Amino acid sequence: MNNGLQRNSNYYYAVVVVLASLSVLNTYSNSHGLYFGKISLIIGVLFFLLAIINLFLKGINSKNIIFLGVILSVWTITKFNNFFSVPILVALAFINYTPWQVIKGYYLANMICLVITSILSLLGLSPIRNVVDGVISFGFANENTLGLFTLLISLFYTLEIFVLKRETRYFYWKIIFIVFFVLLNNFVTGDRTVILVFLVFIFFIGIFKLKNKFLIFILKFFGTACPIFLTYISYFFSKNYDSSNFYYSLNNLLSNRMYMWNWYYHKIPISWYPSYLKIDQFDFWGTIDGSYAYLIFQSGLVTTLIVCLLLVYCNILLLKNNKNYIFCLLISLEIGAFFEDILQFPAIVLVMTFAVLTLYPKWIKDSKNEKFF
């Protein structure tokens, strides 16, 4: 990569981070029950313009042409499924940047959104509690959204601490935030999923730290293929859920998700391409938890298959280029996507952004001399 070009285009990187932080508007509109369609369209246009500027800043070359051709082909195969629209635009905006810079960009955007949204709630401009269940959400539409924002920030801090140890800036403040994240989501909001993802991430990092070849092999194998396994499990539970004691207990453990998936299994026919029936048109639920279940019922089997293959390909490339800690970060989020809408959630579309960027020739390999991770 051209480091000189990156330095000269730092202003653009700042613009991308600020633009990503406009998720504040999304959060604000959701917490107030407003329609976000026009705002999302404006943001989409701005991202597209930034992506075009980025391409011209770098200069059109054969890699750009190959990348644009591949992602256009993939998107065409899915019949331009909306699931890919945001990741593709963000990926185009991040072409000039390394994997670590992409992660840091998402961290900064999430931190800005968390701070602004929390301040708005403390000033009384947004509800400080979820209007449905009364749980504290600090201006976010619900406590799960708050959990996802604090999760990504905590994962970023943990990644820094594991690699840089006390050399990282504001070491103790980062430790305090991580403790706050655990206490908030464990004792206040009760969001077990984000706590699980956080612990899984630390466990995976620990395996690489131990340097046990057998455990590392198991982690690499199952971690690489986990999107396929979890997609199949989501389908299996959706189809086979019944009132037996086993499924009843498992459904309670999964916070009623199996019953939800089974309900949609009987309401929305599984098809190759996006269903004409939309999840938000059903008053009974109006939403669905779990990215893999969402893909199956809403995006269709073609998009589901492509997403799984892209994630597996991304995981393989990360391991091949010794990006072990980033591999741990992404597969932790991929596991969390079994329970929550992590793959399509605007704040953590990070995973799909990586998946799209791996289609750029040698994107990960060219960052092998990157200082961190």
Side-chain angles (χ1 to χ4, degrees), residues 51-277:
I52 296 298
I53 293 171
N54 192 20
L55 289 174
F56 279 104
L57 282 174
K58 184 172 182 176
I60 302 297
N61 55 37
S62 58
K63 288 184 179 181
N64 297 148
I65 296 172
I66 293 172
F67 181 57
L68 291 172
V70 172
I71 60 174
L72 183 60
S73 299
V74 170
W75 204 14
T76 302
I77 292 172
T78 67
K79 292 188 175 180
F80 302 101
N81 195 303
N82 287 335
F83 192 89
F84 279 106
S85 57
V86 174
I88 286 175
L89 290 173
V90 178
L92 288 172
F94 273 124
I95 284 179
N96 278 349
Y97 303 99
T98 64
W100 172 238
Q101 288 174 316
V102 174
I103 294 171
K104 188 172 183 179
Y106 271 101
Y107 150 72
L108 291 172
N110 279 9
M111 178 58 82
I112 292 170
C113 184
L114 178 64
V115 170
I116 293 177
T117 303
S118 298
I119 290 174
L120 289 175
S121 70
L122 294 174
L123 293 176
L125 300 176
S126 289
I128 198 168
R129 294 178 179 272
N130 184 341
V131 295
V132 176
D133 57 22
V135 176
I136 290 176
S137 59
F138 291 112
F140 292 89
N142 54 62
E143 57 273 21
N144 291 340
T145 305
L146 171 64
L148 289 174
F149 272 85
T150 55
L151 169 66
L152 194 63
I153 295 169
S154 297
L155 291 175
F156 176 82
Y157 285 160
T158 305
L159 197 57
E160 275 196 327
I161 290 169
F162 265 110
V163 176
L164 300 178
K165 299 182 173 61
R166 296 202 178 198
E167 293 179 14
T168 181
R169 298 178 64 190
Y170 311 115
F171 175 82
Y172 291 106
W173 283 111
K174 291 172 181 178
I175 292 292
I176 290 172
F177 184 91
I178 292 171
V179 172
F180 167 76
F181 157 76
V182 173
L183 294 177
L184 173 70
N185 288 285
N186 192 45
F187 297 107
V188 179
T189 67
D191 192 339
R192 295 177 296 178
T193 299
V194 294
I195 296 294
L196 174 65
V197 172
F198 182 73
L199 294 177
V200 165
F201 172 66
I202 292 178
F203 176 69
F204 289 164
I205 290 286
I207 289 178
F208 277 103
K209 286 284 188 180
L210 287 174
K211 298 181 180 179
N212 183 297
K213 292 184 179 180
F214 175 73
L215 292 178
I216 290 175
F217 171 79
I218 296 296
L219 173 57
K220 286 182 176 180
F221 176 77
F222 285 102
T224 298
C226 76
I228 296 175
F229 294 147
L230 294 176
T231 300
Y232 177 75
I233 292 172
S234 297
Y235 169 76
F236 181 85
F237 284 163
S238 302
K239 179 180 180 181
N240 295 292
Y241 174 78
D242 57 35
S243 58
S244 65
N245 289 335
F246 170 75
Y247 281 115
Y248 181 80
S249 300
L250 195 56
N251 182 56
N252 285 338
L253 185 64
L254 295 176
S255 302
N256 220 31
R257 286 178 175 83
M258 289 176 60
Y259 175 63
M260 176 191 291
W261 298 341
N262 180 256
W263 191 86
Y264 280 116
Y265 178 82
H266 293 287
K267 294 292 182 179
I268 300 180
I270 296 175
S271 57
W272 288 105
Y273 288 99
S275 173
Y276 65 92
L277 294 172

Side-chain angles (χ1 to χ4, degrees), residues 19 22 25 36-49:
L19 183 58
L22 286 177
L25 296 175
F36 187 64
K38 292 182 178 179
I39 297 175
S40 62
L41 178 61
I42 293 172
I43 292 175
V45 171
L46 289 175
F47 259 121
F48 177 75
L49 292 175

Side-chain angles (χ1 to χ4, degrees), residues 83 291-292 295 307 311 337 341-345 348-349 351-352:
F83 192 89
S291 291
Y292 304 109
L295 281 165
V307 168
L311 292 175
D341 300 337
I342 288 177
L343 298 185
Q344 71 270 32
F345 187 73
I348 313 187
V349 74
V351 179
M352 287 306 303

